[in-house]
Amino acid sequence: MFQEKRILAVLLSALLILPCVACANGNDPSRETNGIFTTADSENDSEFFPNVEKQDYHGETFCMAGTGGGGDWYLADEYKASDGNIHVLNNTIYEMNTLIEDHLNVELVSGKSAGVPVETAIMSGDDIYQALVQHAYFEVAPYISRNFVIDMNELDALDFSQFYWNGDTIEELSINDHVYVAVGDICQSEIHMIYTNKDLMATANIKMPYDQVRNGEWTFDALTAMTANLYVDDGDGQQNNKDIYGFAGSWADWGAVLPQAADTFVASKNSDGGFDLTLYSDRTAEFYEKVFAWTQDESVRIWFYGAPEGDSVDFASNQVYLHGSTLGTKYLSVDFKLGILPMPKYDVAQENYSHVNWGDEILVPTTVKNRDMVGQVLELMSFYSGTMVREKYYDEVLQLRVSEAPDDRDMVELIYNTIVYDPGMVYAHAGGSETGSIYPLIYTFYFCIQDKKPNITSYYQSYAKPAQKQIDTLIKKVFQRS
């Protein structure tokens, strides 16, 4: 029996433990208002409990493992933060897990305690892992292609219509009606957004665009206008990381999330149950040209993967008005007033804001024997993650209590409530160390701007055909065994 229990690792060290998809919006149209998703109805949700009756599985283990430490985050027991204190979420997560263990008489254990690689266990037919957490695109397509994971429609306890799952995204990621990938409040999120220095903006008489956001008017053109004419040289006559900028941020991966923010996806579901490449269009080409022109403005400073340290500008240094980054806690201690904004839309006609998740997905290996237990644990984990952890995260981790920061709290909820997944990203990995031909398309805006290409046409054409072939090969294998 595994001895290592409830180890809180990667997710809480990154302090990103909220829902990873549309705030698990499910298929409930009542949670959408004026194109902006609202938060869940906490009063109604508090009265709901999943259709999982109390069980006695005699202490059977439920072991979750995955890439990048995935699967460890929800196992919290005596986890200490770097300062030696118990993490603020530890007690909440411990309580959540205890409720699940008591309700089903199971033992939640860390995948690190197994000591057996996932692929080895699956190929040997050993029921060691009951669920897998795969980060971004790593091994998702290869596991499906090699028949390593089941269609989760076979797990009767899973109700993807509930608010703690994202039913729309799960359907979008399904292949020929088979659900190999599930996403919901159980998952880790990695979401790109915009931080603002409210003090700098106030000095420049720039109003925080909260009302623009709420009215659906926070667009890329609005961002461009806001960041213009804000460059200030430090006096040496050279543009460097000592100057003041309207916008600054690493282009990896913030630049790569702009297409999805503009409601453009590398691949989208087709009527045959597969996927077609949908990145390139006249609209995308025009959008790229706007982005390219913006990055060349002196008020905008971006740097690329592997760039020298001197290329970057530290947002905490009080030199940047708007900063593209991932949502988290790294700037809670800055000595200026911090603001939060979502990614901009393409234009006002775009229905919703859109934040593509680089976080995790849930898969279930074919080797699981007690599928009733596995489905019930996953259903309860997602339910409790959505109902017990969310408010604690907003209030205590991000320190965005409604009474203290109502506007920024609204922005964070909007960001989490408009998270999407790109099928082209989820299924980009070809296997092993090979990322395949879809991978470069994910980074179209990144590489083309890095190479100072004025348009994306030739770059896209060089990868489109092999990328579509990579997708079609995966789909063909699924159809052949359906």
Side-chain angles (χ1 to χ4, degrees):
M1 191 69 65
F2 304 129
Q3 300 300 317
E4 183 180 3
K5 294 183 61 180
R6 303 187 183 98
I7 301 172
L8 186 62
V10 174
L11 184 58
L12 284 185
S13 65
L15 300 177
L16 290 172
I17 188 166
L18 262 195
C20 56
V21 282
C23 221
N25 196 44
N27 298 312
D28 184 356
S30 68
R31 298 171 189 262
E32 187 176 346
T33 305
N34 297 326
I36 298 176
F37 289 96
T38 62
T39 56
D41 185 338
S42 58
E43 181 177 350
N44 291 337
D45 292 345
S46 66
E47 299 173 354
F48 172 86
F49 189 81
N51 186 25
V52 177
E53 295 183 0
K54 190 174 180 63
Q55 304 289 337
D56 184 2
Y57 288 113
H58 307 287
E60 188 170 345
T61 59
F62 179 92
C63 183
M64 180 180 281
T67 56
D72 292 332
W73 65 266
Y74 72 101
L75 301 167
D77 185 24
E78 298 179 352
Y79 171 80
K80 293 184 182 297
S82 58
D83 60 2
N85 296 317
I86 299 295
H87 191 276
V88 67
L89 286 180
N90 190 78
N91 290 340
T92 302
I93 298 169
Y94 184 89
E95 180 184 359
M96 175 182 76
N97 294 336
T98 300
L99 288 170
I100 296 171
E101 290 183 324
D102 291 347
H103 191 74
L104 301 176
N105 191 12
V106 295
E107 181 183 12
L108 305 183
V109 300
S110 167
K112 289 185 176 179
S113 65
V116 179
V118 170
E119 290 193 18
T120 300
I122 295 175
M123 293 177 69
S124 300
D126 295 329
D127 185 16
I128 294 177
Y129 301 102
Q130 283 67 57
L132 308 175
V133 182
Q134 301 305 116
H135 183 66
Y137 44 73
F138 293 106
E139 301 297 347
V140 175
Y143 280 3
I144 296 171
S145 178
R146 298 168 70 183
N147 200 23
F148 278 6
V149 293
I150 69 169
D151 174 4
M152 279 182 274
N153 285 320
E154 299 174 15
L155 304 180
D156 294 336
L158 298 183
D159 185 354
F160 294 136
S161 69
Q162 295 300 338
F163 60 90
Y164 42 85
W165 294 107
N166 189 319
D168 293 337
T169 296
I170 291 171
E171 168 61 26
E172 176 70 12
L173 296 178
S174 68
I175 303 175
N176 194 27
D177 295 327
H178 296 292
V179 175
Y180 297 107
V181 177
V183 287
D185 286 7
I186 189 175
C187 299
Q188 174 189 6
S189 299
E190 184 175 327
I191 312 165
H192 294 79
M193 40 67 71
I194 299 173
Y195 289 103
T196 68
N197 183 324
K198 290 183 176 180
D199 290 351
L200 284 179
M201 294 181 71
T203 301
N205 293 317
I206 301 174
K207 183 180 179 181
M208 281 291 292
Y210 295 130
D211 290 339
Q212 276 185 287
V213 174
R214 294 186 179 101
N215 294 333
E217 299 170 349
W218 177 238
T219 65
F220 187 77
D221 286 343
L223 170 65
T224 300
M226 182 170 291
T227 58
N229 303 314
L230 294 176
Y231 172 75
V232 178
D233 183 82
D234 70 336
D236 65 2
Q238 298 183 8
Q239 206 166 9
N240 52 41
N241 65 353
K242 305 299 183 183
D243 303 334
I244 294 177
Y245 293 91
F247 177 93
S250 170
W251 206 241
D253 296 300
W254 203 83
V257 303
L258 281 171
Q260 290 86 1
D263 199 28
T264 298
F265 295 83
V266 175
S268 302
K269 192 75 167 285
N270 61 35
S271 59
D272 297 325
F275 303 96
D276 293 327
L277 295 180
T278 52
L279 177 64
Y280 189 83
S281 66
D282 291 342
R283 179 179 181 273
T284 308
E286 178 185 351
F287 182 49
Y288 172 80
E289 291 174 3
K290 285 186 178 182
V291 173
F292 177 79
W294 177 67
T295 60
Q296 305 308 301
D297 187 277
E298 67 174 2
S299 289
V300 175
R301 187 172 184 87
I302 60 173
W303 52 94
F304 302 95
Y305 181 77
E309 185 176 347
D311 284 2
S312 63
V313 181
D314 184 3
F315 178 62
S317 66
N318 208 24
Q319 298 170 234
V320 178
Y321 286 77
L322 281 76
H323 172 57
S325 187
T326 53
L327 183 60
T329 61
K330 51 188 171 293
Y331 297 123
L332 289 183
S333 61
V334 295
D335 58 1
F336 51 81
K337 291 182 180 179
L338 185 70
I340 292 174
L341 293 173
M343 296 292 291
K345 299 195 298 183
Y346 174 77
D347 58 20
V348 294
Q350 181 178 319
E351 185 176 1
N352 293 317
Y353 296 97
S354 180
H355 297 81
V356 66
N357 196 351
W358 286 73
D360 295 336
E361 303 93 32
I362 303 294
L363 295 83
V364 174
T366 53
T367 48
V368 296
K369 292 182 171 58
N370 192 340
R371 299 192 176 186
D372 287 340
M373 183 270 287
V374 170
Q376 290 165 1
V377 171
L378 289 175
E379 184 75 0
L380 291 179
M381 285 181 65
S382 195
F383 166 71
Y384 282 125
S385 294
T387 56
M388 294 181 64
V389 178
R390 181 195 307 175
E391 293 300 314
K392 180 71 70 172
Y393 178 83
Y394 288 154
D395 292 343
E396 304 298 334
V397 177
L398 293 182
Q399 299 178 23
L400 291 173
R401 299 171 187 85
V402 174
S403 60
E404 298 173 7
D407 290 318
D408 294 307
R409 170 66 172 260
D410 283 351
M411 297 301 104
V412 169
E413 291 188 0
L414 182 149
I415 289 168
Y416 272 110
N417 291 341
T418 54
I419 294 177
V420 298
Y421 275 73
D422 187 334
M425 181 186 297
V426 173
Y427 298 123
H429 200 194
S433 61
E434 299 296 325
T435 51
S437 299
I438 305 174
Y439 178 83
L441 294 183
I442 295 173
Y443 286 95
T444 296
F445 279 35
Y446 173 85
F447 286 120
C448 287
I449 286 175
Q450 182 183 44
D451 296 338
K452 296 189 180 300
K453 294 181 181 293
N455 63 72
I456 61 173
T457 303
S458 61
Y459 180 91
Y460 179 83
Q461 290 175 344
S462 64
Y463 294 104
K465 187 173 181 180
Q468 186 66 60
K469 182 178 180 181
Q470 183 181 333
I471 294 175
D472 292 343
T473 298
L474 171 66
I475 303 305
K476 182 178 180 181
K477 290 185 177 181
V478 173
F479 273 70
Q480 285 176 340
R481 62 173 181 256
S482 296

